[in-house]
Amino acid sequence: MKLFVTGASGWVGSAVVPELLAAGHQVVGLARSEKSADALWNQGAVVHRGDLEDLDSLRSGAKDADGVIHLAFHHDFENFVNAGELDRQAITALGETLEGSGRPLVVTSGTAGHAVGHILVEDQPANPQSPRLSESAALAFTDRGVRVSIMRLAPSVHGTGDYGFVPTLINVARDKGVSAYVGDGANRWSTVHRDDAAALFRLAAEGAPTGTVLHAIGEEGVATRDIAEAIGRNLDVPVTSVAPEQAMDHFGWIGAFFSLDIPASSAVTRQKFDWQPQGIGLLDDLEANYF
C-alpha cells in the first residue's frame, strides 16, 4: 500500500516509517521543515510538505494514498484545548478525503484519562470530557466508507532516543536535585516500547476492521514510585514523595499526568492481531539506555 503518514518524523513516526517500508509498503511522510524532510528522505520515504494547520496539504496527501496513518499532534499542554481542536480539524479533513473509498484511516489517541484508577480496556469509550477529540472525530467516519481504527498509545512510549514524558521527569529530577513521585507512588503508568507500537500501527493499517480500538500497551502498569526510584538511582539523587496538591509546583505541567493512576490492558488487541510485544520494559530500558 501507499500510506500517507502524518507525524512521520516524530518519536513514534520515525519507527513506524521503517516498519512500513520493511513490510513492502510505500510511505509518503508529512514534513513541515527541512530537517524533517531530510530525515524522511534518508529513511526511504517520499516527502510531502505541509503541517496540521495546512488542511489542503493533508487532503492532497490523503487523496493520492491507499490509506492514512495519523500520528501528528501538537503537544501543547498549556493550550491543550486548542491542540485538540486542531487535531479534530485535521482528522475531519483526512476523513472527508477518504470518504466512500473503504481505505484505512489509523488515528492516534492515548490511554490517559479515560478510566483513571481502573484498568482501561479496548471497549471502554473515550472520556467525553477529554479535550483531545481524536477518537470521536475519527469514529464519525466509520459509517461513511472509511476503515477507521483508533490506536491508543501508553503514556510512556519508550526506547533509545526518547524525548517524551520520562525524559521530562529525568530533567525535573536533575533540576530539583531529587527524584519525586506523587503521594505513595502506587499509581501506575502503562508503557510500550516504540518498536512494538510501530508494528501495531502497521497491523492496523493492513487489516483492522472499521471501528476497531487497539491498545499499544506492552506493560499494563508500572508504579510511578518505581520509575522515580530508577531515576534517582541513576542520577544519584534522593527519592522522595510529593503531596498531590504540590505536584504541579514540583513537576510543572507533567505533574498532572504523573499523579494519575492510568493502567491499561492490551489483551484483546494481542488476541485479535496476534501482536506480541518484544521490546524490553520501561524500567530495564531506563537502566540501559536513558543515562
Side-chain angles (χ1 to χ4, degrees):
M1 287 191 292
K2 178 181 179 181
L3 293 166
F4 177 48
V5 181
T6 73
S9 62
W11 168 239
V12 179
S14 58
V16 171
V17 169
E19 172 73 24
L20 295 172
L21 292 171
H25 300 295
Q26 181 182 358
V27 176
V28 179
L30 184 69
R32 62 177 178 175
S33 69
E34 289 297 331
K35 181 179 179 181
S36 295
D38 289 344
L40 290 171
W41 180 261
N42 289 335
Q43 283 190 312
V46 175
V47 175
H48 181 87
R49 298 305 294 264
D51 58 39
L52 288 186
E53 296 180 346
D54 183 354
L55 298 183
D56 285 340
S57 73
L58 299 181
R59 294 185 184 102
S60 63
K63 180 181 178 181
D64 295 331
D66 298 316
V68 176
I69 297 177
H70 176 54
L71 284 151
F73 189 83
H74 284 186
H75 289 91
D76 184 352
F77 294 103
E78 295 182 357
N79 296 288
F80 205 71
V81 171
N82 290 341
E85 175 58 21
L86 178 62
D87 189 47
R88 185 196 67 79
Q89 292 177 12
I91 292 168
T92 299
L94 294 168
E96 288 175 346
T97 304
L98 298 176
E99 188 168 356
S101 68
R103 288 176 284 174
L105 170 60
V106 185
V107 168
T108 309
S109 181
T111 60
H114 298 314
V116 175
H118 303 279
I119 297 174
L120 180 69
V121 295
E122 288 89 340
D123 64 358
Q124 171 72 43
N127 183 350
Q129 303 304 315
S130 173
R132 183 163 185 172
L133 308 172
S134 312
E135 297 193 22
S136 59
L139 292 172
F141 288 93
T142 57
D143 60 354
R144 296 169 63 179
V146 182
R147 182 162 62 83
V148 174
S149 59
I150 305 296
M151 185 71 69
R152 289 176 176 166
L153 290 174
S156 173
V157 182
H158 62 89
T160 305
D162 182 4
Y163 52 83
F165 283 179
V166 171
T168 299
L169 294 171
I170 293 171
N171 289 335
V172 170
R174 283 197 179 101
D175 292 342
K176 300 284 187 177
V178 61
S179 181
Y181 53 89
V182 180
D184 64 4
N187 59 300
R188 300 153 291 174
W189 272 14
S190 59
T191 79
V192 67
H193 194 280
R194 180 176 69 148
D195 293 342
D196 290 324
L200 192 56
F201 272 101
R202 174 181 58 78
L203 292 170
E206 289 174 344
T210 192
T212 301
V213 176
L214 303 91
H215 278 193
I217 304 296
E219 296 175 291
E220 191 171 277
V222 177
T224 55
R225 180 169 184 164
D226 291 341
I227 297 172
E229 288 177 344
I231 293 171
R233 183 166 56 252
N234 282 280
L235 291 180
D236 194 22
V237 298
V239 179
T240 190
S241 171
V242 168
E245 61 271 18
Q246 296 175 335
M248 294 295 288
D249 287 339
H250 180 87
F251 291 102
W253 62 265
I254 201 172
F257 292 95
F258 206 44
S259 303
L260 295 175
D261 183 36
I262 43 178
S265 169
S266 59
V268 173
T269 298
R270 296 183 193 217
Q271 190 276 325
K272 284 186 175 180
F273 295 94
D274 192 25
W275 176 70
Q276 297 299 326
Q278 303 296 316
I280 62 175
L282 174 62
L283 297 180
D284 288 340
D285 207 1
L286 272 168
E287 298 290 345
N289 296 310
Y290 276 68
F291 299 91

